[in-house]
Amino acid sequence: MSWTNRFTFGGTGETSSRYRRLYGISFGMVYLFLLVAEILSGEFHGAKAVWAWLSLIAFVISYLATVVSPRSMTERSRSTYPLLALTTAQAVVGALVFGGGWLALPIYVTVLFAMILPPRRAGFGIAGMLAVVVGCGLLHHSDGTTLLILGLEVVTLGMLFIGVRNTRLLAGQLREAQGEVARLAAADERLRIARDLHDLLGHSLSLIVLKSELAGRLAEDSPKVLQEIQDIESVARKALTEVREAVTGYRQRSLPEELDNARTVLRAAGVEPLVRVSGTPLPGLLDGLFGWAVREGTTNVVRHARARSCRIEVTYDGEHAILEIMDDGRGEEPFRLGSGLQGLTERVREAGGNVEVGPGAKAGFRLRVLVPVGAAA
């Protein structure tokens, strides 16, 4: 996932993030009271005063809407960028028409550029706002000292908030890294427990079963003793089965492991694997679920598809996790779900997602799993 798509303003959820942004930005809004004082001072008269009030109110609404707009990958281009463009236009028009204290509006837009746009684009935006301040100031005959101060504010605040954004991005990456380390540590601990269960209980229960079988042969002349020994053997076998099931659960493979295994299995079957993963690591629940989906999908390709290539794509944008497995094999109809895919479909539905299976658009077979992260959590 790109640098800009991964950035958020802080907080664990979108709602929390919006409140944090609104709280942080409210302190800077206090300087707009200078514009209110300028209007109330009587410097503007008649229709110009009305337009000044309307312009200021519209700018504040647009500015706050931009601040609290969604930061997700899908919503960014749908709402955030149009709001940013509208706020920028209002700031430029205000500075161009009224001058004076209204030259501060581009400074507010500079902060938005720094916190929303990628660094390179933010730099161009800051340079543009500097040109607006200087140009509008000269147009309204502002003194050189005022223009120098405003220009320095544009540059310094822009660089400062780009630095703040970088810091928050690094903090987010650090949290992700810590989460991944914790997940790997948990996986290692599960493997250790699985080994201990197998080495200790598995060996002991297997020995009990063998001893019970031997004792049963030796006690064939005593039906009562034979029945008790058979009961011991039955209980030991059941316990051994349960231990093996528990060990299998603890040894559940993660999605990265299953993707590596899929590459190996497909190549061994003469199928060229094309694996693509985009986004941050999946949460624990989805990681195991998608790992199972990759295993089931790969098994079907090897057994039934007669394909030459298979593409596996995993996408995670923080809101939805999507897995697609597509091959160029037969993809014949009628298509019938096997027990493995039926079980996968049930588990995905329990996690709040859905599974699409069937022939591909052009050829072959297609398996698509989509799970909303909120529903899975």
Side-chain angles (χ1 to χ4, degrees):
M1 186 177 292
S2 69
W3 190 88
T4 55
N5 290 338
R6 295 178 59 185
F7 174 77
T8 60
F9 274 78
T12 56
E14 182 63 28
T15 301
S16 174
S17 176
R18 292 179 183 181
Y19 282 128
R20 289 174 182 267
R21 284 180 252 151
L22 190 59
Y23 175 78
I25 211 70
S26 61
F27 293 100
M29 300 295 290
V30 68
Y31 293 102
L32 291 180
F33 284 104
L34 297 175
L35 302 187
V36 175
E38 185 175 329
I39 298 174
L40 294 176
S41 66
E43 183 175 340
F44 299 147
H45 303 281
K48 188 174 183 180
V50 174
W51 280 111
W53 278 115
L54 293 176
S55 298
L56 181 58
I57 293 172
F59 176 81
V60 171
I61 294 174
S62 177
Y63 185 81
L64 294 180
T66 307
V67 169
V68 300
S69 60
R71 293 292 184 266
S72 65
M73 181 172 59
T74 55
E75 294 292 336
R76 186 182 294 270
S77 58
R78 186 183 304 173
S79 59
T80 302
Y81 290 153
L83 284 171
L84 178 60
L86 176 62
T87 306
T88 303
Q90 290 175 336
V92 173
V93 171
L96 183 63
V97 173
F98 300 109
W102 296 75
L103 296 176
L105 296 185
I107 299 176
Y108 285 90
V109 177
T110 296
V111 175
L112 292 180
F113 286 160
M115 297 299 283
I116 295 176
L117 298 178
R120 181 183 293 273
R121 295 182 182 178
F124 287 125
I126 293 170
M129 291 300 99
L130 178 61
V132 169
V133 169
V134 174
C136 293
L138 293 176
L139 181 64
H140 288 273
H141 307 291
S142 300
D143 60 272
T145 303
T146 300
L147 291 180
L148 177 61
I149 294 175
L150 292 176
L152 287 175
E153 288 181 353
V154 169
V155 175
T156 55
L157 287 176
M159 295 299 103
L160 171 64
F161 279 94
I162 287 178
V164 170
R165 182 179 182 179
N166 284 332
T167 301
R168 292 189 175 182
L169 171 66
L170 293 176
Q173 291 175 334
L174 178 60
R175 285 193 296 269
E176 291 176 3
Q178 290 174 337
E180 182 68 9
V181 169
R183 189 185 68 81
L184 293 175
D188 289 341
E189 184 64 14
R190 287 198 300 269
L191 289 176
R192 186 190 67 79
I193 294 174
R195 287 193 298 266
D196 291 345
L197 282 173
H198 185 271
D199 294 342
L200 298 175
L201 293 179
H203 176 73
S204 299
L205 291 173
S206 297
L207 184 60
I208 292 174
V209 171
L210 292 175
K211 291 291 186 181
S212 299
E213 291 175 347
L214 177 60
R217 287 194 294 269
L218 296 176
E220 291 179 350
D221 296 334
S222 177
K224 185 175 181 180
V225 175
L226 180 60
Q227 180 62 43
E228 295 296 331
I229 292 175
Q230 289 176 343
D231 290 343
I232 294 174
E233 179 183 349
S234 176
V235 172
R237 287 185 182 277
K238 181 179 179 182
L240 182 60
T241 300
E242 292 174 348
V243 168
R244 286 172 175 168
E245 290 176 350
V247 168
T248 301
Y250 276 116
R251 286 180 174 175
Q252 182 180 19
R253 296 169 68 93
S254 65
L255 176 60
E257 292 173 327
E258 288 295 347
L259 290 174
D260 290 338
N261 184 63
R263 291 187 182 96
T264 302
V265 171
L266 290 171
R267 288 196 179 102
V271 181
E272 179 62 28
L274 305 172
V275 179
R276 178 185 176 188
V277 179
S278 61
T280 55
L282 295 176
L285 175 63
L286 290 180
D287 187 85
L289 180 60
F290 274 43
W292 186 21
V294 169
R295 184 165 62 249
E296 289 295 335
T298 304
T299 300
N300 282 336
V301 172
V302 172
R303 287 181 178 177
H304 309 297
R306 297 182 184 177
R308 291 176 297 177
S309 66
C310 176
R311 186 166 80 253
I312 303 175
E313 295 184 358
V314 180
T315 305
Y316 176 52
D317 62 3
E319 296 181 354
H320 298 86
I322 301 174
L323 166 68
E324 288 191 334
I325 301 178
M326 294 157 284
D327 64 69
D328 60 354
R330 296 181 301 173
E332 296 178 350
E333 294 194 48
F335 174 76
R336 192 166 50 86
L337 276 181
S339 59
L341 287 179
Q342 286 178 345
L344 173 63
T345 301
E346 292 173 359
R347 287 191 62 179
V348 171
R349 287 176 179 171
E350 290 176 359
N354 63 77
V355 176
E356 298 177 9
V357 291
K362 297 182 179 179
F365 174 81
R366 175 176 177 265
L367 168 65
R368 186 176 190 269
V369 178
L370 184 148
V371 181
V373 177

